[in-house]
Amino acid sequence: QVQLVESGGGLVQAGSSLRLSCTVSRGTLSRYATAWFRQAPGKEREFVAAIAWDAIHTFYADSVKGRFTTSRDNAKNTVYLQMNSLTPEDTAVYYCAATVARAAWIGIHRDDYNYWGQGTQVTVSS
């Protein structure tokens, strides 16, 4: 079992960049697939990006493809979400999620993951 802690959120202007981190405060990320989801006010939580525990296989939502990059450092028990060219539509609480999986497995649905962080707020002003 792991506990996830997100950090790196904040208030930025449109066109800016942010890097979110998701660190394991208890346990290890080895053999856990991870993903980022986000939830804007009044909207459902939606998939953003995922990376398999092999750190090779990734998948992105169409809305962030080409702007966001997820990566992980298993030795540091940390997953990252690099967000570039931010727009006000990216404003949301961003959540890190994890689940035990095979090396190349990726999930894009909320129900695919059973461990979640508390979330970090990202606000993009126009």
Side-chain angles (χ1 to χ4, degrees):
Q1 187 171 355
V2 296
Q3 288 187 339
L4 308 173
V5 179
E6 302 96 334
S7 62
L11 171 63
V12 297
Q13 291 187 332
S16 300
S17 298
L18 275 177
R19 188 176 81 158
L20 305 183
S21 298
C22 173
T23 301
V24 177
S25 64
R26 186 176 73 184
T28 173
L29 271 180
S30 296
R31 303 194 182 273
Y32 282 81
T34 58
W36 293 92
F37 289 77
R38 67 185 180 184
Q39 188 166 17
K43 295 188 177 180
E44 294 289 318
R45 191 172 300 188
E46 65 174 3
F47 170 77
V48 175
I51 184 166
W53 72 256
D54 64 6
I56 296 173
H57 295 83
T58 59
F59 191 80
Y60 298 91
D62 288 342
S63 58
V64 306
K65 199 173 296 182
R67 300 188 298 122
F68 291 11
T69 303
T70 187
S71 60
R72 59 191 289 161
D73 186 335
N74 289 337
K76 294 184 178 179
N77 283 324
T78 302
V79 182
Y80 304 98
L81 183 68
Q82 177 66 42
M83 306 185 294
N84 299 327
S85 303
L86 286 162
T87 74
E89 288 69 37
D90 296 315
T91 295
V93 177
Y94 284 71
Y95 297 89
C96 177
T99 191
V100 175
R102 297 186 298 276
W105 183 89
I106 289 177
I108 64 171
H109 305 291
R110 289 180 58 180
D111 290 345
D112 291 334
Y113 297 90
N114 47 10
Y115 299 106
W116 292 82
Q118 83 290 348
T120 185
Q121 176 71 48
V122 172
T123 303
V124 184
S125 64
S126 58

